[in-house]
Amino acid sequence: RLLMKQGEEQQIRESLKDNPEMQRVYKQIVGEADRLLVCPTLTYKKEGRRLLAVSREALKRIFDLSFVYRMTGEDKYRLRAEQEMVSVCSFGDWNPSHFLDVGEMTMAVAIGYDWLFDKLSPETRRVVRESILQKGFAPSNDKQYNWFLKAENNWNQVCNTGLVYGALALLDSDSKEAAAVIERAMSSVPLSMKVYAPDGNYPEGYNYWGYGTSFNVMLIAALESALGSDGGLSAVEGFMSSARFMQYMAGTTGLAFNFSDARETTQSFPAMFWYASKLGDPSLLWNEKIFLTREDTHFTAEDYLDLWFPLRYEGSDASCLENLDRTWKSACSSDPYRMG
């Protein structure tokens, strides 16, 4: 029920056939999954007070392996994903004192649990379910750790999103606990979303828009796929306008307007595909098209789950990049600088 329902793999396969940009994205994910087949499983290793690097790597690994299994049906990817899930669920905790670590780890195992459920061993299902309940949900109810519920920044978006993924994954087996997590998030997340009003500005700057807003989009996408509704989150003032705002934060020089906590270097925001699909506006993908057509573009660990967006939403609107191609070629023919 999370993001990509059973049978939707075929939509992505169709979108790949005549689309070299999407083929390159897909090949990167498959290449990562192949590399992971021979890597040691993750271990509990904090950097200072953070376990976040491990949580992010778990999210990337479990997504890559589970996604490639769903696309290919090759058991080697499923089995390797299961090993990673068992490994991180064996940790004593997911470091609740830095709750981003818990949010991303909960999201990681939730995706594997949901996408591979029918193929997981009964013991793995038990271990993952108990870990989500005990290492994800339980500390989120502890006032020592759950300050993020009242935050107005990316911590609120990321932590709540991860927990909701865990809740949606356990909706059948632990409906009471899952419903409580979802209902709490629906009251909490709007606190962090009010910053988009009135016209889409994100006060944490260019790069943190990519972090907080991408998780917010992933939250909405998961709610829509699992429950058929986002409960009004996408209607929060300024949220949908934020895509256009961020498009103009990147200049033709390849640099970003680096206000607040941001760098000058521009980056790909795959969640823009979700915005373009929802708004029916492929022009929002102008900057994404630049990244997708550059051979030297390599996506980071944080980007890999986001790469589901161009694959999924390009599949739902096959004309999206084709329309942008026509706009692109027309602009380039009259503007040699842009062509360069």
Side-chain angles (χ1 to χ4, degrees):
R1 62 166 59 98
L2 291 177
L3 300 179
M4 186 169 67
K5 294 182 180 180
Q6 188 173 9
E8 290 186 347
E9 300 88 348
Q10 186 57 33
Q11 293 180 3
I12 295 177
R13 295 190 190 102
E14 289 296 320
S15 76
L16 291 172
K17 287 182 179 179
D18 300 309
N19 194 320
E21 290 91 357
M22 293 300 114
Q23 288 174 13
R24 192 165 70 85
V25 169
Y26 178 67
K27 287 177 181 177
Q28 274 205 39
I29 296 174
V30 174
E32 279 296 300
D34 286 335
R35 183 185 67 82
L36 292 170
L37 293 174
V38 295
C39 288
T41 55
L42 291 166
T43 58
Y44 192 98
K45 183 179 180 181
K46 291 172 66 173
E47 295 179 4
R49 68 189 188 96
R50 295 174 174 84
L51 188 69
L52 189 55
V54 178
S55 297
R56 284 183 176 161
E57 182 66 12
L59 182 55
K60 183 181 84 68
R61 289 187 179 196
I62 295 170
F63 166 75
D64 284 351
L65 293 161
S66 302
F67 177 76
V68 175
Y69 167 71
R70 290 189 62 178
M71 292 295 290
T72 66
E74 295 186 40
D75 283 336
K76 61 183 179 181
Y77 300 114
R78 171 183 60 82
L79 293 169
R80 188 67 182 79
E82 185 168 358
Q83 290 176 346
E84 290 293 349
M85 293 164 66
V86 170
S87 178
V88 298
C89 287
S90 71
F91 294 175
D93 60 50
W94 290 338
N95 198 35
S97 62
H98 190 258
F99 213 89
L100 290 176
D101 312 3
V102 178
E104 295 204 27
M105 192 71 85
T106 303
M107 189 175 189
V109 298
I111 288 171
Y113 185 83
D114 180 75
W115 283 11
L116 307 176
F117 185 85
D118 291 341
K119 300 293 183 178
L120 295 175
S121 71
E123 177 61 14
T124 297
R125 291 182 200 168
R126 182 192 67 80
V127 167
V128 174
R129 172 181 165 269
E130 290 180 357
S131 292
I132 291 174
L133 291 169
Q134 297 169 10
K135 297 165 189 172
F137 294 177
S140 79
N141 293 318
D142 189 331
K143 292 183 179 179
Q144 181 181 357
Y145 305 125
N146 68 5
W147 65 269
F148 66 86
L149 293 172
K150 296 182 179 180
E152 297 180 4
N153 57 27
N154 69 85
W155 279 67
N156 184 316
Q157 295 167 301
V158 175
C159 297
N160 273 307
T161 295
L163 291 166
V164 168
Y165 270 65
L168 294 172
L170 300 187
L171 205 52
D172 293 332
S173 60
D174 301 271
S175 57
K176 182 179 179 180
E177 294 86 346
V181 168
I182 295 168
E183 289 171 3
R184 182 182 64 185
M186 297 305 290
S187 298
S188 174
V189 172
L191 297 175
S192 61
M193 295 180 71
K194 67 182 182 180
V195 301
Y196 294 100
D199 53 13
N201 175 35
Y202 191 73
E204 294 185 78
Y206 179 85
N207 304 104
Y208 271 104
W209 184 96
Y211 188 40
T213 306
S214 291
F215 270 82
N216 213 138
V217 166
M218 287 189 279
L219 170 62
I220 291 171
L223 290 169
E224 289 177 331
S225 69
L227 305 179
S229 170
D230 70 358
L233 291 182
S234 59
V236 170
E237 183 182 7
F239 185 73
M240 297 306 292
S241 302
S242 196
R244 184 69 70 197
F245 177 87
M246 284 302 297
Q247 186 179 37
Y248 289 122
M249 290 298 98
T252 56
T253 60
L255 299 178
F257 179 41
N258 61 330
F259 72 95
S260 188
D261 189 5
R263 303 180 295 274
E264 284 190 343
T265 308
T266 54
Q267 67 184 78
S268 175
F269 293 131
M272 292 291 267
F273 280 81
W274 179 87
Y275 278 105
S277 177
K278 289 292 182 184
L279 295 169
D281 186 357
S283 72
L284 290 169
L285 301 177
W286 184 275
N287 292 326
E288 302 313 305
K289 178 72 173 178
I290 294 173
F291 282 104
L292 289 174
T293 54
R294 281 172 43 182
E295 291 294 330
D296 62 339
T297 296
H298 295 284
F299 297 98
T300 68
E302 293 176 49
D303 289 328
Y304 267 87
L305 182 58
D306 278 359
L307 291 181
W308 173 82
F309 287 110
L311 290 169
R312 174 64 178 84
Y313 286 98
E314 170 59 10
S316 66
D317 180 9
S319 65
C320 195
L321 282 183
E322 293 174 10
N323 291 339
L324 189 59
D325 268 328
R326 287 192 286 272
T327 306
W328 175 276
K329 290 172 183 175
S330 175
C332 288
S333 65
S334 59
D335 185 350
Y337 174 76
R338 192 180 297 279
M339 176 67 86

